[in-house]
């Protein structure tokens, strides 16, 4: 076989060399040169194609998300208090007490098959017997809360002014993800509004619940992606008198914030994120190419947060079933979760555990031990009380559209500070992040902490927001001098 191929090859080479009237060696050299040149041109063309930034699509900044057709709205900002009322509590407790027996885990299994039901049972008993609904609501109400109607939806937010007046005050919009609400930042907000030494600024914090999450109303209209949520929140900030502001965000909040800094680069002065991702196709090509030389494309100390890609893919296949369900059939899973508080608790707490420490599925708590039980039950109680598990889960189905993919591929100049906690769900090296976040001014890594840093390490998160902001302010100062 081999002999046949070789003789065929020699024959073709001889024919060609006599046709072009040059020696076969020369022919090989010319052919090779041409092939290399073609590959180089094609690669260059492909990379330029991937690097080019598309035009911003047309966006309706007043799009109506309320029921029925658009109507004139009352734009007042109303104070709001969280209440867990007796009817809700009695109904919830009766459901928890009257639940059917849970199926025991397989022998020797901890959380590998999902929420450990022996552990869950303890959590549910605590919820019924020890969790003090009224006291927890009072605690949440320690932070001043408001609601206002934007584009047809009632939007809820915490607004906390600095504890000391007269200092340089930076308005900071703080955004959570799924299955959270502004509750995630309950312990962070007061740290941000407290002046600290070495910083001549302090924050005024606006921590909003995304529409369909927490105490913000969900929409009945399809199409409310992170891009359009970003428009709603920008309109919220304008309503509050902030034409320019800063953002801190994680998880879906980061998706929203990333759209905001792309669409409103002159209104957002800086962005701090625990979960920044470049979704530019070019970055994914780099992610793949980087897998051949990981130590070359990122600090070797943190290589295991990204590579080998096979580990990352395995982890994703293992832990993202919920993402596929919610991206495709959120309403079906939602029926069970809306009807059973035990089911709701199991579903969201399992996910919170894994995202806090993915290496602990071999324990009965599955990663939850790093968080306070009361905080977790606040999160589940809020989801239950507001019946928002379906409206919040739908964001996975609504999140990616043709429009968002275009905006994802447009880089932004807004100065960005990124923090990477040890067990953050997804991490990209700087090499890729800069494709989207052109002015990456601060980048920190921690050997601890997970996806819900606001719950787990509130102090360290607040510290990093202050540090990142110093770099952002420095960048903006230099930029204004250059003008
Ligand atoms: C109690 O709270 C639930 C959930 O927020 C609400 O649907 C219900 O209308 C409230 N009931 C009363 C009597 O206030």
């Amino acid at each position: 076989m081999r002999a046949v191929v070789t003789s065929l090859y020699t024959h073709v080479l001889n024919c060609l060399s006599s046709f072009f009237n040059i020696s076969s060696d020369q022919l090989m050299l010319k052919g090779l040169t041409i092939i290399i040149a073609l590959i180089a041109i094609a690669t260059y063309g492909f990379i330029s194609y991937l690097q080019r930034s598309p035009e911003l699509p047309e966006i309706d900044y007043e799009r109506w998300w309320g029921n029925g057709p658009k109507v004139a709205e009352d734009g007042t900002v109303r104070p709001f208090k969280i209440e867990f009322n007796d009817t809700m509590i009695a109904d919830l407790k009766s459901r928890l007490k009257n639940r059917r027996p849970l199926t025991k885990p397989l022998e020797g299994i901890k959380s590998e098959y999902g929420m450990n039901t022996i552990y869950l049972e303890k959590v549910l008993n605590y919820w019924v017997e020890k969790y003090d609904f009224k006291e927890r609501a009072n605690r949440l109400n320690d932070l001043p809360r408001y609601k206002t109607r934007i584009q047809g939806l009632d939007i809820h937010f915490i607004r906390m002014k600095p504890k000391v007046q007269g200092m340089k005050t930076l308005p900071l919009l703080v955004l959570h993800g799924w299955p959270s609400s502004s509750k995630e930042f309950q312990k962070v907000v007061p740290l941000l509004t407290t002046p600290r030494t070495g910083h001549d600024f302090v924050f005024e914090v606006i921590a909003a619940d995304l529409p369909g999450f927490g105490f913000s109303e969900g929409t009945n209209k399809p199409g409310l992606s992170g891009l359009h949520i970003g428009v709603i929140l920008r309109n919220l900030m304008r309503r509050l008198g902030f034409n320019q502001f800063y953002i801190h965000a994680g998880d879906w909040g980061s998706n929203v914030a990333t759209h905001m800094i792309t669409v409103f680069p002159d209104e957002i002065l800086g962005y701090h994120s625990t979960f920044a991702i470049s979704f530019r196709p070019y970055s994914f090509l780099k992610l793949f190419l980087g897998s051949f030389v990981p130590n070359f494309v990122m600090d070797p100390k943190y290589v295991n947060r990204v590579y080998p890609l096979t580990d990352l893919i395995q982890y994703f296949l293992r832990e993202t079933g919920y993402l596929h369900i919610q991206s495709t059939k959120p309403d079906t899973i939602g029926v069970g979760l809306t009807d059973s508080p035990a089911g709701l608790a199991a579903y969201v707490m399992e996910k919170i555990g894994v995202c806090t420490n993915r290496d602990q599925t071999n324990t009965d708590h599955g990663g939850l031990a790093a968080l306070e039980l009361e905080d977790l039950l606040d999160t589940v109680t809020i989801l239950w009380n507001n019946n928002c598990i379906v409206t919040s889960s739908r964001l996975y189905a609504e999140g990616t559209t043709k429009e968002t993919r275009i905006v994802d591929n447009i880089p932004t100049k807004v100065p960005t500070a990124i923090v990477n906690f040890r067990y953050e769900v997804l991490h990209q090296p700087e090499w890729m992040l800069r494709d989207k976040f052109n002015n990456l001014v601060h980048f920190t890594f921690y050997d601890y902490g997970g996806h819900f840093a606001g719950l787990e390490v509130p102090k360290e998160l607040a510290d990093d927001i202050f540090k990142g902001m110093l770099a952002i302010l420095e960048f903006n100062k230099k930029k204004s001098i250059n003008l």
Side-chain angles (χ1 to χ4, degrees):
M1 182 66 200
R2 193 145 166 222
V4 176
V5 174
T6 314
S7 76
L8 199 69
Y9 174 75
T10 320
H11 180 70
V12 170
L13 213 61
N14 284 340
C15 284
L16 283 174
S17 60
S18 61
F19 181 79
F20 287 113
N21 203 13
I22 49 176
S23 81
S24 61
D25 278 358
Q26 274 176 319
L27 182 79
M28 290 259 286
L29 204 66
K30 277 200 177 157
L32 217 58
T33 316
I34 290 171
I35 288 169
I36 289 173
L38 283 178
I39 290 176
I41 291 169
T43 309
Y44 177 78
F46 185 57
I47 288 178
S48 334
Y49 169 76
L50 287 177
Q51 272 184 319
R52 92 204 185 297
S53 155
E55 290 282 312
L56 192 68
E58 215 169 290
I59 297 165
D60 176 1
Y61 297 119
E62 295 301 329
R63 188 158 157 186
W64 181 254
W65 298 103
N67 288 326
K70 193 169 186 166
V71 292
E73 276 192 313
D74 174 2
T76 52
V77 175
R78 298 117 47 204
F80 173 76
K81 290 254 181 256
I82 291 176
E83 196 198 344
F84 297 141
N85 67 37
D86 295 334
T87 321
M88 184 283 285
I89 297 170
D91 172 69
L92 171 59
K93 287 192 175 179
S94 104
R95 286 168 191 261
L96 285 171
K97 283 183 196 151
N98 295 321
R99 69 173 184 269
R100 300 209 301 170
L102 304 173
T103 307
K104 295 272 170 287
L106 295 173
E107 283 175 21
I109 291 299
K110 297 295 187 182
S111 302
E112 295 89 341
Y113 283 61
M115 189 77 185
N116 181 297
T117 46
I118 300 169
Y119 183 83
L120 176 66
E121 194 137 12
K122 290 181 202 156
V123 170
L124 299 180
N125 289 340
Y126 188 96
W127 203 6
V128 175
E129 283 154 24
K130 303 236 174 71
Y131 180 81
D132 186 339
F133 289 81
K134 303 284 180 185
E135 192 265 340
R136 293 307 291 181
N138 283 343
R139 234 177 235 250
L140 292 170
N141 287 325
D142 281 347
L143 303 182
R145 294 165 181 280
Y146 306 88
K147 279 189 174 186
T148 190
R149 296 195 69 76
I150 311 263
Q151 294 165 257
L153 300 178
D154 231 6
I155 301 298
H156 163 257
F157 57 95
I158 294 164
R159 179 177 185 180
M160 192 152 178
K161 292 186 193 282
K163 293 184 181 150
V164 174
Q165 300 298 311
M167 264 183 105
K168 181 158 99 186
T169 302
L170 311 180
L172 182 71
L173 176 67
V174 172
L175 299 176
H176 65 87
W178 187 88
S180 274
S181 64
S182 52
K183 145 75 202 170
E184 190 177 323
F185 303 105
Q186 180 85 6
K187 293 172 194 160
V188 183
V189 174
L191 299 172
L192 296 174
T193 55
T194 308
R196 47 177 73 192
T197 45
H199 300 73
D200 64 350
F201 62 88
V202 68
F203 295 102
E204 170 165 358
V205 178
I206 295 88
D209 289 353
L210 305 184
F213 290 70
F215 295 85
S216 285
E217 192 180 351
T219 183
N220 289 326
K221 290 187 162 54
L224 186 53
S225 64
L227 172 64
H228 294 289
I229 292 177
V231 171
I232 290 175
L233 295 173
R234 174 265 199 166
N235 289 345
L236 168 70
M237 291 303 273
R238 286 170 89 95
R239 165 113 11 117
L240 302 180
F242 303 115
N243 291 335
Q244 288 190 312
F245 53 95
Y246 302 80
I247 306 181
H248 161 76
D251 193 80
W252 272 105
S254 288
N255 174 281
V256 171
T258 304
H259 289 312
M260 290 173 83
I261 61 176
T262 310
V263 178
F264 308 111
D266 300 324
E267 296 174 40
I268 294 137
L269 302 175
Y271 172 41
H272 180 277
S273 182
T274 51
F275 193 70
I277 300 168
S278 168
F279 278 105
R280 302 197 65 191
Y282 186 47
S283 309
F284 285 102
L285 176 69
K286 284 178 166 183
L287 180 70
F288 172 70
L289 292 177
S291 65
F292 297 102
V293 280
N295 288 338
F296 188 69
V297 297
M298 63 184 296
D299 187 338
K301 252 194 300 187
Y302 306 111
V303 156
N304 66 356
R305 296 186 189 193
V306 182
Y307 297 113
L309 280 187
T310 44
D311 283 6
L312 192 72
I313 291 166
Q314 250 175 30
Y315 153 62
F316 261 69
L317 288 176
R318 194 185 83 194
E319 298 302 341
T320 55
Y322 83 105
L323 187 147
H324 296 276
I325 290 176
Q326 292 172 203
S327 304
T328 52
K329 310 289 177 203
D331 291 16
T332 308
I333 181 78
V335 175
L337 304 182
T338 299
D339 206 45
S340 159
L344 179 68
Y347 190 73
V348 302
M349 285 174 66
E350 177 236 288
K351 227 57 256 164
I352 294 174
V354 166
C355 295
T356 298
N357 189 334
R358 75 186 72 139
D359 293 341
Q360 291 189 335
T361 50
N362 59 347
T363 64
D364 59 353
H365 58 78
L368 291 171
L371 305 172
E372 279 180 38
L373 181 56
E374 304 258 307
D375 279 334
L376 293 166
L377 288 175
D378 285 351
T379 300
V380 185
T381 304
I382 289 171
L383 283 164
W384 180 263
N385 182 69
N386 300 336
N387 197 5
C388 59
I389 189 63
V390 173
T391 52
S392 62
S393 300
R394 278 182 185 152
L395 183 49
Y396 289 81
E398 301 291 45
T400 310
T401 63
K402 202 171 151 210
E403 252 177 347
T404 63
R405 278 196 295 271
I406 295 171
V407 179
D408 275 336
N409 200 12
I410 304 174
T412 174
K413 299 265 174 248
V414 173
T416 301
I418 295 174
V419 44
N420 181 239
F421 286 101
R422 171 70 187 87
Y423 285 103
E424 185 49 85
V425 171
L426 198 60
H427 170 66
Q428 281 180 335
E430 204 176 318
W431 189 45
M432 273 171 252
L433 287 166
R434 283 194 187 277
D435 297 335
K436 172 73 186 179
F437 308 97
N438 286 173
N439 293 313
L440 186 51
V441 297
H442 196 255
F443 206 164
T444 20
F445 292 89
Y446 293 95
D447 293 332
Y448 52 79
H451 188 64
F452 297 90
L455 296 179
E456 190 184 357
V457 285
K459 193 188 158 295
E460 289 77 3
L461 177 60
D463 289 352
D464 201 87
I465 294 176
F466 269 99
K467 276 188 217 151
M469 201 52 63
L470 276 177
I472 288 169
L473 293 177
E474 190 62 25
F475 176 88
N476 285 341
K477 202 161 84 188
K478 275 194 200 134
K479 196 178 69 179
S480 64
I481 291 169
N482 288 344
L483 281 176

